Amino acid sequence: MDKIKSGNYRVVSGITPSGSSMHIGNYFGMAKPAIELQENSGGAFLFIADLHALTTVHNSEELKGNITNVVLDYLALGLDPDKATFFRQSDVPEHSLLTVVLGNYISYGHMKRMHAFKDKLQKGTNQDSINMGLFNYPILMAADILLYKPDGVPVGEDQRQHVEITRDMAESFNKAYGKEIFPLPEAVISKETGKIVGTDGKRKMSKSLGNIIGIFEDESLIKKQIMSSYTDPNRKKSTDPGKVEGNPVFQYHDLINDDKSEVEDLKKRYREGKVGDVEVKDRLFTAHMRLFDPARKRRKELENNLDLVREILEKGAEKAGEISKKTMTEVYETLGIRNQLNV
Ligand code: TYM
């Protein structure tokens, strides 16, 4: 962490456009910390992992929409393209090139132990029907990261294993050639926000589980998402003393509500059985609208200025391309693929 503060710390992070828009789990778990790190002189490489979305999205219209939405969300939430390098993964072909290389430095056995793959198996999917994109997902992710030789990778807890396997690939590559081509990056995961619980109160908030609180959806939908959130199951009436710890609605208040004295007052009254769940949720909704209102307005402006967005992405891909081309040249030289016939 001291290194982060030193101002020369480079970070890389991506988001997969597999759902329609960002939710508060993405925002507090990854986007907010990554955006804060854009101030760092070591540079922030933040991208839309559109190739990763192919593991689940096989409908071109849906994918087009998802990509546009996540790009607009990210910019609206405060990503500054003059400070961070913001781009689309597919616009920088070196991500795919390095993927082909890195697959040779990790074993099948190691890949089989990855969560995303194991989760599918646990959900009853037949092993033989799992697509190879999903199986190879961590290799593409390792390429995303290693191309930029970052110090850290700001992510949520669910991505920890992917950063670990990235380190393993880097280590085994470095060892094979006896030099440190890839410095080992560390996962940057916040203790407080690395795993935001979903509105079902059980699993992590996730687009695929349908337990999210959105940021940019219609007010009525966000209200519905908040109102249907799990609270304290043992509380039958608003006069029963309620539990604040582990109660997702209060976790959301801690994250979203900038009126800290209101939050303390609600917690106190909840514990004493002096406030109903509806009021607690109503106030959460008001706080949500207050916090995200500027971003929601910015997003509307961006929607009407897609030329600017295209320009931002083009510039970002150019900047990312400069570094990733350099790394690929170094990699091909190290491998022996660059020889007297192609220099
Ligand atoms: P993705 O798109 O599923 O999620 C984007 C980021 O949001 C974090 N996140 C959460 N954090 C806290 N609580 C939650 N409930 C929550 N839900 C999501 C994720 O941990 C992630 O950091 N494989 C990645 C994208 C990726 C990437 C990369 C990340 C591709 N290449 C290279 C870092 C570096 C993914 O699918 O994240």
Side-chain angles (χ1 to χ4, degrees), residues 126-175:
N126 175 356
Q127 179 161 342
D128 291 343
S129 69
I130 288 175
N131 74 51
M132 285 302 294
L134 180 82
F135 189 73
N136 286 334
Y137 190 103
I139 307 181
L140 176 55
M141 185 157 158
D144 295 339
I145 296 170
L146 296 177
L147 272 178
Y148 303 95
K149 304 191 179 189
D151 301 286
V153 186
V155 281
E157 188 59 52
D158 61 338
Q159 300 296 322
R160 184 187 290 280
Q161 200 192 28
H162 290 150
V163 180
E164 276 163 12
I165 201 172
T166 298
R167 291 167 63 95
D168 293 336
M169 278 181 241
E171 219 170 354
S172 119
F173 187 96
N174 293 343
K175 208 164 147 219

Side-chain angles (χ1 to χ4, degrees), residues 20-33:
S20 56
S21 227
M22 279 202 203
H23 52 74
I24 65 164
N26 297 139
Y27 177 64
F28 290 106
M30 181 279 293
K32 186 167 182 263

Side-chain angles (χ1 to χ4, degrees), residues 12-16 23 25-26 29-30 47 49 52 137 141 144-145 153 155-156 158-159 193-196 204-205 207:
V12 172
S13 198
I15 177 164
T16 307
H23 52 74
N26 297 139
M30 181 279 293
F47 64 94
H52 272 116
Y137 190 103
M141 185 157 158
D144 295 339
I145 296 170
V153 186
V155 281
D158 61 338
Q159 300 296 322
T193 61
K195 188 177 175 190
I196 312 283
K204 83 160 185 168
M205 184 173 288
K207 32 207 168 196

Side-chain angles (χ1 to χ4, degrees), residues 104-264:
N104 300 290
Y105 303 87
I106 193 77
S107 71
Y108 173 65
H110 200 146
M111 289 291 291
K112 272 203 307 190
R113 293 195 294 274
M114 300 309 289
H115 291 319
F117 174 66
K118 282 192 353 197
D119 284 356
K120 280 264 173 188
L121 291 187
Q122 267 163 18
K123 281 184 194 140
T125 309
N126 175 356
Q127 179 161 342
D128 291 343
S129 69
I130 288 175
N131 74 51
M132 285 302 294
L134 180 82
F135 189 73
N136 286 334
Y137 190 103
I139 307 181
L140 176 55
M141 185 157 158
D144 295 339
I145 296 170
L146 296 177
L147 272 178
Y148 303 95
K149 304 191 179 189
D151 301 286
V153 186
V155 281
E157 188 59 52
D158 61 338
Q159 300 296 322
R160 184 187 290 280
Q161 200 192 28
H162 290 150
V163 180
E164 276 163 12
I165 201 172
T166 298
R167 291 167 63 95
D168 293 336
M169 278 181 241
E171 219 170 354
S172 119
F173 187 96
N174 293 343
K175 208 164 147 219
Y177 298 95
K179 45 185 169 180
E180 208 206 38
I181 301 292
F182 298 122
L184 306 189
E186 61 180 352
V188 180
I189 301 174
S190 150
K191 260 202 205 93
E192 294 78 35
T193 61
K195 188 177 175 190
I196 312 283
V197 70
T199 52
D200 57 3
K202 293 182 185 69
R203 296 165 300 177
K204 83 160 185 168
M205 184 173 288
S206 156
K207 32 207 168 196
S208 62
L209 296 172
N211 61 0
I212 66 161
I213 294 179
I215 299 175
F216 297 103
E217 283 83 350
D218 283 345
E219 284 187 27
S220 58
L221 179 59
I222 291 176
K223 183 147 201 183
K224 206 163 134 202
Q225 290 168 337
I226 289 177
M227 286 303 176
S228 62
S229 178
Y230 181 93
T231 53
D232 175 355
N234 296 320
R235 194 168 188 244
K236 303 279 179 276
K237 335 185 265 308
S238 56
T239 48
D240 292 341
K243 221 173 140 212
V244 165
E245 285 69 32
N247 184 330
V249 174
F250 283 102
Q251 291 179 33
Y252 304 148
H253 261 294
D254 282 334
L255 291 170
I256 291 175
N257 195 341
D258 54 4
D259 184 347
K260 297 299 166 208
S261 61
E262 176 177 80
V263 177
E264 284 321 304

